[in-house]
Amino acid sequence: MIEAKNLFKSFNDRPVLEDVNMQIEEGETFAIIGRSGSGKSVLMKHLIGLLKPDSGEILIDGVDINKLDYRALRTVRRQFGVLFQGGALFDSMTSFENVAFPLATFTDKKPAEIARVVHECLEMVELEDVGNKMPSELSGGMKKRVALARAIALRPKYIFYDEPNTGLDPETSNTIDALISGLSDRLNVTSIVVTHDMHSVLSIADRAAFIHQGTIRWIGTVEELHASTDDVLLDFVKAHEYQIGGPRTSVATNPPSY
Amino acid sequence: MSVVSLYMLDPIRALGRYTLLLTHAFESLNEFHTYRKNLFDQMVKIGIDSLPITALAAAFSGAVTTVQTAYQLVSPLFPKSIIGSIVAPSMILELGAVVTGFILTGRVGARIAAELGTMRVTEQIDALEAMGLNSIGYLIIPRVLAGVLMFPVLYIAAVLVGVGGGIAVAHLGGWVPAGEFVSGAREFFNPFDPVFGIIKSLVFGFVITSISCYKGYYTSGGAEGVGRSTTEAAVTSCVYILLADLVLAMTLL
């Protein structure tokens, strides 16, 4: 289980997170939603320990990762798989080498066994035949899928997704959603998805937290989302409905007076 | 406040971050398995791959120094062998290390800063950390170690090629026969000179790679940030090479 307790963070005296509290249960798919610049990616970096809070705790299975020394923190991180926004594939390595990297670095597996696991991971993201390609030869969606294969190579307990659909066409975006959903079931992992794509949230998440101006404005199950009476949350959800062809009146502004 | 921040606090902050980065790097020295493969890769990239350009620059430095020395000392009062006595120590004491340093600031320092800077802005460094890897041990230790280990090798090559270039030009240009050049060089040879040159190349190797790693590792601001880091790495390394050159000369000679 992942818990954030009374989390505060400022950059250059500008508060980015203010008293954030939440719990992510084992096995669920939890979405952190909010507008661009609301602090959701910063929150995710705190959960992985890439950023340290000014005050507050991040508990991973009951252990406060900010109290650990660097070596112990790295051991905790080995339970994580992270899919970064642009994939963050190592561009000096082929796709195969990227997926093999954590296996070769952290396990005693023989090369043949590593190759078997890499092919298995690439098969899970439906990209069996790109092993020899360099990241620069892959499309945006393919890069994310190879990065996802790398993230699951060590069979993590938690998978973090940072804006998995950003920059992708709707069809590829659906493919990524289906992969996230499929992997959660197949590997029985806890998934944390940072996104502003409501379509994605509605199709893959069990619960969601809505971050607004650095605080958690709303938290609940996806079914409860539409029943919410919070204006700011409803505006966010409606803006998405408008994008996919919902009623224009819900977001239309007053006509100009001239 | 902004002026104080710009001229006083920012340099102190930068020095603090540089020191912390290096402290962290030295703490990671014992994690040899993390950087073993990278160390050999970097020794090839920094050392072996830089040999041709270093040799070329050294050969021309040696040749030009020889021609200029011959031009300035055309006098029946001086024996011709004095040209060898001036050119060889110049290469050993100053030019061998400094020419190698400047060439490698451009070739190695800029590459390190651009490479690490790109890894930073594309979140590849975050990806290494998120995996549970010590990114400083994995990325910085091998580059700094390779610089410190390979710069003396490049320095020795530069001196040999530079003095060789001087002899060739002196002989072929008709200024001094090769034998006289060598005897002049041997007459004034001081065994401490090459030791001083090697110490200098060790320091330059450390200065260039550590500054470039620091600039690259802490890059921010996308493609523009990578460009800024690369320029700053090259310029700052050059300034500190000149400074280190003076300090070493004043303290060791």
Side-chain angles (χ1 to χ4, degrees):
Chain A
M1 188 168 73
I2 300 177
E3 279 178 276
K5 284 186 177 174
N6 311 112
L7 216 56
F8 285 83
K9 179 72 177 178
S10 301
F11 290 119
N12 298 325
D13 299 329
R14 191 176 66 85
V16 180
L17 296 178
E18 288 184 283
D19 200 17
V20 169
N21 288 282
M22 63 177 196
Q23 277 188 6
I24 300 169
E25 305 292 340
E26 300 263 309
E28 72 174 338
T29 299
F30 188 89
I32 299 172
I33 57 176
R35 293 176 186 153
S36 300
S38 57
K40 52 191 192 301
S41 288
V42 172
L43 175 59
M44 192 195 90
K45 289 196 172 178
H46 277 86
L47 299 180
I48 313 167
L50 288 176
L51 288 174
K52 277 195 185 294
D54 297 336
S55 66
E57 295 177 335
I58 299 288
L59 304 175
I60 306 288
D61 299 327
V63 177
D64 184 357
I65 56 170
N66 296 306
K67 293 204 173 103
L68 298 175
D69 65 21
Y70 183 51
R71 195 177 288 263
L73 172 64
R74 277 155 47 202
T75 309
V76 171
R77 280 178 181 160
R78 283 176 205 157
Q79 309 173 68
F80 298 160
V82 184
L83 176 66
F84 285 92
Q85 202 169 336
L89 291 175
F90 305 129
D91 41 26
S92 57
M93 301 180 190
T94 63
S95 304
F96 179 94
E97 288 165 342
N98 262 285
V99 183
F101 182 80
L103 295 161
T105 309
F106 299 117
T107 68
D108 298 326
K109 287 185 171 36
K110 300 265 183 302
E113 173 66 2
I114 289 177
R116 191 189 63 72
V117 178
V118 171
H119 285 125
E120 198 180 287
C121 293
L122 286 172
E123 191 199 317
M124 277 194 228
V125 297
E126 297 159 19
L127 277 180
E128 296 93 332
D129 49 357
V130 301
N132 292 326
K133 292 203 165 151
M134 300 301 284
S136 56
E137 297 173 279
L138 302 175
S139 69
M142 287 162 108
K143 273 184 199 163
K144 289 204 178 180
R145 281 149 74 184
V146 174
L148 187 50
R150 184 179 69 184
I152 60 173
L154 289 175
R155 294 291 181 272
K157 191 172 170 188
Y158 303 101
I159 306 185
F160 294 83
Y161 301 87
D162 188 9
E163 305 275 13
N165 309 89
T166 301
L168 301 180
D169 65 82
E171 201 182 336
T172 313
S173 184
N174 286 341
T175 312
I176 295 281
D177 284 348
L179 277 173
I180 294 173
S181 213
L183 286 174
S184 296
D185 296 340
R186 197 167 161 186
L187 303 175
N188 194 27
V189 290
T190 306
S191 304
I192 299 95
V193 187
V194 168
T195 184
H196 56 244
D197 184 340
M198 283 307 298
H199 179 264
S200 182
V201 174
L202 296 173
S203 57
I204 62 174
D206 299 315
R207 287 198 307 140
F210 176 60
I211 303 225
H212 182 68
Q213 293 177 348
T215 57
I216 293 196
R217 176 115 184 174
W218 179 90
I219 191 163
T221 64
V222 170
E223 290 75 28
E224 291 164 352
L225 243 173
H226 281 98
S228 166
T229 52
D230 187 309
D231 289 347
V232 181
L233 174 64
L234 287 177
D235 281 351
F236 182 79
V237 175
K238 278 179 187 169
H240 157 74
E241 284 172 355
Y242 170 60
Q243 275 184 339
I244 61 167
R248 293 173 72 95
T249 49
S250 60
V251 290
T253 51
N254 293 328
S257 55
Y258 51 83
Chain B
M1 179 61 196
S2 62
V3 176
V4 174
S5 172
L6 186 66
Y7 292 105
M8 292 187 66
L9 296 181
D10 285 358
I12 293 170
R13 273 193 206 110
L15 183 65
R17 286 216 298 180
Y18 173 76
T19 312
L20 280 176
L21 182 76
L22 289 184
T23 309
H24 197 126
F26 285 119
E27 282 170 2
S28 314
L29 262 178
N30 57 350
E31 295 181 33
F32 185 62
H33 64 279
T34 313
Y35 59 84
R36 183 186 55 215
K37 185 180 168 293
N38 266 3
L39 176 62
F40 293 116
D41 286 350
Q42 292 301 325
M43 282 170 78
V44 171
K45 282 182 183 165
I46 292 176
I48 312 294
D49 292 354
S50 300
L51 263 175
I53 183 72
T54 308
L56 185 76
F60 276 85
S61 305
V64 172
T65 312
T66 302
V67 174
Q68 289 186 354
T69 311
Y71 166 75
Q72 287 176 301
L73 296 178
V74 180
S75 162
L77 292 173
F78 301 114
K80 283 185 174 175
S81 64
I82 199 165
I83 295 172
S85 313
I86 291 174
V87 173
S90 301
M91 284 306 299
I92 295 170
L93 281 172
E94 177 69 7
L95 287 174
V98 173
V99 166
T100 309
F102 282 145
I103 291 281
L104 295 195
T105 295
R107 196 188 172 278
V108 173
R111 184 181 61 78
I112 288 176
E115 198 174 12
L116 296 187
T118 306
M119 287 187 78
R120 169 62 73 194
V121 300
T122 56
E123 296 184 305
Q124 292 176 51
I125 295 181
D126 282 346
L128 286 171
E129 282 288 329
M131 257 176 217
L133 198 75
N134 175 356
S135 66
I136 292 177
Y138 182 74
L139 296 171
I140 292 180
I141 281 282
R143 284 168 172 79
V144 176
L145 265 187
V148 172
L149 293 172
M150 295 311 286
F151 263 53
V153 176
L154 290 167
Y155 159 75
I156 292 168
V159 169
L160 292 176
V161 174
V163 174
I167 294 173
V169 165
H171 188 80
L172 297 173
W175 282 288
V176 200
E180 257 185 83
F181 188 107
V182 173
S183 72
R186 292 177 72 167
E187 201 175 335
F188 286 91
F189 179 74
N190 178 352
F192 178 69
D193 291 357
V195 175
F196 176 70
I198 286 175
I199 293 172
K200 213 149 94 162
S201 64
L202 283 168
V203 173
F204 289 179
F206 178 77
V207 165
I208 294 171
T209 48
S210 64
I211 288 177
S212 306
C213 282
Y214 164 74
K215 291 286 181 188
Y217 192 81
Y218 289 118
T219 298
S220 61
E224 195 189 342
V226 175
R228 193 171 48 239
S229 294
T230 309
T231 311
E232 284 179 5
V235 173
T236 315
S237 297
C238 282
V239 171
Y240 281 93
I241 281 180
L242 293 171
L243 210 65
D245 194 21
L246 180 66
V247 171
L248 287 173
M250 285 168 69
T251 51
L252 295 180
L253 289 182

